[in-house]
Amino acid sequence: MGTENTPGGKASPDPQDVRPSVFHNIKLFVLCHSLLQLAQLMISGYLKSSISTVEKRFGLSSQTSGLLVSFNEVGNTALIVFVSYFGSRVHRPRMIGYGAILVALAGLLMTLPHFISEPYRYDNTSPEDMPQDFKASLCLPTTSAPARTHSNGNCSSYTETQHLSVVGIMFVAQTLLGVGGVPIQPFGISYIDDFAHNSNSPLYLGILFAVTMMGPGLAFGLGSLMLRLYVDINQMPEGDISLTIKDPRWVGAWWLGFLIAAGSVALAAIPYFFFPKEMPKEKHELQFRRKVLAVTDSPARKDKDSPSKQSPGESTKKQDGLVQIAPNLTVIQFIKVFPRVLLQTLRHPIFLLVVLSQVCLSSMAAGMATFLPKFLERQFSITASYANLLIGCLSFPSVIVGIVVGGVLVKRLHLGPVGCGALCLLGMLLCLFFSLPLFFIGCPSHQIAGITHQTSAQPGLELFPSCMEVCSCPSDGFNPVCDPSTRVEYITPCHAGCSSQVVQDALDKSQVFYTNCSCVAEGNPVMAGSCDSTCSHLVVPFLLLVSLGSALACLTHTPSFMLILRGVKKEDKTLAVGIQFMFLRILAWMPSPVIHGSAIDTTCVHWALSCGRRAVCRYYNNDLLRNRFIGLQFFFKTGSVICFALVLAILRQQDKEARTKESRSSPAVAQQLLVSGPGKKPEDSRV
């Protein structure tokens, strides 16, 4: 603790003297930043865990919900470029704190639609007609038809305006969520790198990323818990509700997770207002550093140490990079010079191909993270809570394992550029291979009377059954029932021609049956709820294959990052990484959820209507859903394989040319070429 009197933070010495010395410790900053990024990823990933619930609650299509997820990246992408400009001019800890507060407020704003909307009514009954809930879906004489039109009668200009305002609030909240996240990671990493000991910096960053990677897994775990609770848990109707978590009309407490995550981010933001703008650089390296660095160390450390060993000519040349001259530019000059440097960086073929392969991988990951829970729900007829639990326990841990194993392989095998390219290609080929069985693991679509065409000649399965003509069934009703003898599902008891209801009390729960059903063979009673799937057990092997493929794809994370770092000039490395993340956001994380959502919407066979407009999808063609969702993933994986194959071919060609030059020159000159290549024009694109 004797560092508090050393020079540091000269610009504002007075405020630093009154601050507690504990906040002059870079280790405490690493701990706080790990917790903050963990909470930030948890709140940004929570929407993905409850995407199907939000769709049901507010009547959104998958395309709209995918666009909602993408708006998280809009604000982030619009401002991330200026981090390079403002990085050394602002009080970085305070900027991180302000960003975190904005993230917390955006999380609270995401919950506002729940509180300003009317209570969720799963049975389409009006508030004045609550005693008739159980009769709302029964087959009634046609003379009662006017009573069926109440749901359309609620379609006023106020209702439509309220719907648009609710959706607009969520879009604004997602945009602010992205804006608030702009300063958190870049400023935090640069702050740690500036004031940590040169030998400890890789270890601190390794700890930071390891803790941060748990955020999405915790988000899905939190979603699993919250979606077990009823959405209106804060305003339950009298007499409780007659829904169970397995009912397709069930909507969980999606908003409660945002409250918890926003509170976590707000608490994690508090310490940043006490850290100094600058602190004394850490003097001592950690004693156990060597053991841990065997896994976490990277060539970036060597690059960071190298300027002290450069000649004066090289030091002068390094000032040409945009990151080095940015502090001397005005904002207008920075905007003008950025496109030129961007085009110059994109001229490197290795850099461009690796970034394109990462765009394909990120597109796959964005679509999978956003819609995998919904896909599992629909494909295997499981609850949203169970789907989130499986993903949080299997998929995200496998991603972490894949990244760590990739880094260990690069370190232990001392892989050079060609080796890194080969590892990337091998990982993606294996990922592609294990994706093939996913096309054949799934459940067939339910037999739904009046919606899906049936091949059998059973009565009551025509597109418009004549047996229900006398029932005046509501066109927008949804209260599914199942005929257990034929495994045929009906949209409502009315569509099955049922005119009465029986409730059988069991030990732990009550089972609702509908009787006197004119459209059911032999007039058998039907059970409330959708038909159970006969292949729900296949969800575990399906997700195991998905997790294995994710781990294999994540093997490419570290080696591809190394290829990017060594594929450009030293003075452009920081900018190249910034350009890489900008392209990933613009070309992958923003459009991919919309693309996947649009593909999912094309497989819908029955839409719910709200005031005459298409709302949420009730039923999907499961085979078509599986083929298009997995096919889209397969397409992006194939694109990544092609890019990595081209990268490996170029690297081998460059390696062959280098060996040819080496054989023609003296050993001493050849050795000098291998060590000092980056300064020469012919080797600009070499890795």
Side-chain angles (χ1 to χ4, degrees):
M1 303 303 293
T3 60
E4 53 188 48
N5 295 323
T6 58
K10 296 179 182 178
S12 55
D14 295 335
Q16 288 192 17
D17 293 338
V18 299
R19 286 181 182 137
S21 58
V22 67
F23 289 103
H24 289 67
N25 191 337
I26 193 64
K27 297 183 184 68
L28 178 63
F29 185 88
V30 173
L31 174 63
C32 292
H33 206 61
S34 299
L35 295 177
L36 176 61
Q37 287 198 182
L38 176 72
Q40 182 212 357
L41 277 188
M42 184 168 68
I43 195 172
S44 61
Y46 179 76
L47 177 61
K48 299 178 178 67
S49 71
S50 54
I51 196 74
S52 62
T53 301
V54 173
E55 287 180 9
K56 277 192 283 187
R57 179 64 181 91
F58 299 106
L60 305 179
S61 65
S62 294
Q63 185 182 43
T64 305
S65 61
L67 186 64
L68 179 63
V69 172
S70 298
F71 259 67
N72 190 2
E73 306 295 336
V74 171
N76 197 300
T77 306
L79 299 177
I80 194 69
V81 175
F82 294 97
V83 171
S84 300
Y85 174 75
F86 291 109
S88 58
R89 303 181 180 215
V90 297
H91 194 301
R92 284 176 288 184
R94 286 184 185 171
M95 288 299 295
I96 293 172
Y98 293 143
I101 294 297
L102 184 58
V103 168
L105 292 177
L108 294 178
L109 188 61
M110 276 295 295
T111 67
L112 185 60
H114 167 75
F115 294 101
I116 65 175
S117 300
E118 295 181 355
Y120 173 60
R121 284 188 285 276
Y122 53 87
D123 47 25
N124 283 333
T125 55
S126 60
E128 302 83 18
D129 201 26
M130 292 300 286
Q132 297 186 13
D133 288 351
F134 290 118
K135 297 181 180 179
S137 299
L138 294 179
C139 179
L140 300 177
T142 52
T143 53
S144 304
R148 300 288 195 176
T149 61
H150 56 74
S151 59
N152 287 330
N154 291 333
C155 294
S156 62
S157 59
Y158 171 77
T159 305
E160 281 297 286
T161 303
Q162 186 185 39
H163 173 78
L164 292 176
S165 63
V166 162
V167 175
I169 287 173
M170 290 193 289
F171 273 95
V172 171
Q174 281 294 104
T175 305
L176 294 179
L177 205 59
V179 172
V182 167
I184 293 179
Q185 184 170 351
F187 285 165
I189 292 176
S190 63
Y191 193 84
I192 293 172
D193 198 50
D194 285 348
F195 302 116
H197 191 279
N198 290 348
S199 300
N200 296 339
S201 180
L203 173 60
Y204 291 154
L205 294 180
I207 294 173
L208 175 65
F209 289 131
V211 176
T212 300
M213 284 299 295
M214 301 178 188
L218 288 180
F220 278 84
L222 181 63
S224 177
L225 292 175
M226 296 301 103
L227 296 184
R228 286 179 168 273
L229 305 175
Y230 186 63
V231 60
D232 292 321
I233 190 174
N234 60 325
Q235 44 184 352
M236 293 286 283
E238 294 183 8
D240 211 343
I241 57 172
S242 58
L243 285 186
T244 64
I245 191 174
K246 292 185 178 181
D247 195 296
R249 298 171 296 168
W250 174 272
V251 171
W254 61 273
W255 54 275
L256 198 53
F258 279 109
L259 284 181
I260 296 174
S264 302
V265 173
L267 289 177
I270 295 175
Y272 287 90
F273 297 99
F274 299 97
F275 283 107
K277 181 178 181 180
E278 297 178 1
M279 69 170 62
K281 191 172 180 68
E282 195 177 30
K283 289 185 175 181
H284 307 289
E285 63 179 286
L286 301 177
Q287 295 180 356
F288 58 92
R289 176 187 64 86
R290 289 188 178 90
K291 295 181 180 179
V292 183
L293 289 186
V295 176
T296 61
D297 199 3
S298 67
R301 177 171 153 262
K302 298 179 182 178
D303 297 329
K304 184 160 63 71
D305 295 339
S306 60
S308 60
K309 302 177 184 179
Q310 290 178 340
S311 63
E314 289 180 345
S315 298
T316 304
K317 199 168 189 178
K318 186 173 181 179
Q319 297 301 316
D320 294 338
L322 177 61
V323 176
Q324 282 72 32
I325 66 175
N328 301 321
L329 299 177
T330 65
V331 177
I332 303 299
Q333 291 172 332
F334 179 82
I335 295 175
K336 288 181 178 179
V337 76
F338 178 76
R340 178 173 57 82
V341 182
L342 173 63
L343 293 176
Q344 181 181 348
T345 305
L346 293 178
R347 286 168 49 193
H348 299 284
I350 297 297
F351 173 81
L352 185 59
L353 285 171
V354 173
V355 168
L356 286 178
S357 68
Q358 290 186 338
V359 165
C360 292
L361 281 176
S362 296
S363 298
M364 177 198 73
M368 185 71 78
T370 304
F371 288 110
L372 182 60
K374 177 175 180 175
F375 176 83
L376 296 180
E377 290 176 49
R378 298 294 187 165
Q379 188 68 214
F380 300 99
S381 299
I382 61 176
T383 65
S385 176
Y386 185 49
N388 285 327
L389 181 64
L390 288 176
I391 294 172
C393 293
L394 293 178
S395 294
F396 281 101
S398 69
V399 169
I400 299 174
V401 170
I403 294 176
V404 172
V405 171
V408 170
L409 289 176
V410 172
K411 177 71 177 178
R412 294 296 186 186
L413 301 180
H414 305 286
L415 296 180
V418 177
C420 287
L423 179 60
C424 290
L425 181 59
L426 178 62
M428 286 311 303
L429 283 174
L430 290 175
C431 176
L432 204 62
F433 174 76
F434 284 106
S435 298
L436 290 175
L438 299 179
F439 285 100
F440 309 101
I441 302 178
C443 300
S445 301
H446 289 167
Q447 302 288 324
I448 307 162
I451 294 178
T452 56
H453 292 277
Q454 311 296 330
T455 56
S456 64
Q458 295 178 359
L461 298 186
E462 303 85 9
L463 193 58
F464 298 103
S466 57
C467 56
M468 53 166 281
E469 289 181 354
V470 297
C471 294
S472 68
C473 297
S475 59
D476 58 345
F478 186 64
N479 180 18
V481 294
C482 177
D483 179 6
S485 60
T486 58
R487 304 195 63 80
V488 174
E489 188 169 323
Y490 299 84
I491 301 178
T492 66
C494 179
H495 287 77
C498 303
S499 58
S500 60
Q501 177 195 32
V502 177
V503 179
Q504 293 184 354
D505 294 325
L507 294 177
D508 54 345
K509 61 179 180 178
S510 59
Q511 178 65 56
V512 179
F513 290 91
Y514 294 92
T515 58
N516 300 328
C517 304
S518 59
C519 294
V520 179
E522 301 179 0
N524 292 329
V526 295
M527 299 170 53
S530 293
C531 296
D532 293 332
S533 176
T534 57
C535 58
S536 296
H537 60 281
L538 294 178
V539 66
V540 175
F542 180 92
L543 203 55
L544 286 175
L545 279 176
V546 170
S547 302
L548 179 59
S550 301
L552 291 170
C554 289
L555 281 178
T556 67
H557 182 270
T558 300
S560 63
F561 199 76
M562 292 299 103
L563 289 175
I564 286 178
L565 288 178
R566 300 190 186 172
V568 296
K569 296 178 182 179
K570 287 186 177 181
E571 62 266 24
D572 291 334
K573 283 184 179 180
T574 305
L575 181 65
V577 174
I579 292 174
Q580 171 204 9
F581 283 108
M582 185 182 70
F583 270 93
L584 292 183
R585 284 187 170 94
I586 294 176
L587 299 179
W589 291 99
M590 285 174 61
S592 180
V594 181
I595 294 172
H596 281 78
S598 301
I600 291 174
D601 282 343
T602 61
T603 67
C604 183
V605 294
H606 178 61
W607 290 93
L609 298 179
S610 175
C611 298
R613 63 173 179 84
R614 204 169 66 173
V616 67
C617 181
R618 300 293 194 195
Y619 292 105
Y620 292 92
N621 182 326
N622 278 4
D623 294 329
L624 204 57
L625 174 64
R626 182 174 64 255
N627 290 334
R628 291 189 178 174
F629 184 76
I630 302 301
L632 204 52
Q633 297 280 307
F634 196 84
F635 170 78
F636 287 122
K637 292 175 185 177
T638 304
S640 182
V641 168
I642 293 173
C643 290
F644 279 131
L646 293 175
V647 167
L648 185 59
I650 294 175
L651 289 174
R652 284 185 171 178
Q653 181 64 28
Q654 291 178 350
D655 188 60
K656 184 178 179 180
E657 293 175 359
R659 291 179 184 276
T660 303
K661 290 181 180 180
E662 181 180 348
S663 63
R664 294 178 180 176
S665 59
S666 62
V669 175
Q671 181 67 23
Q672 185 177 358
L673 285 172
L674 289 173
V675 174
S676 60
K680 300 190 176 182
K681 280 188 177 179
E683 298 188 8
D684 279 351
S685 62
R686 283 190 57 192
V687 180

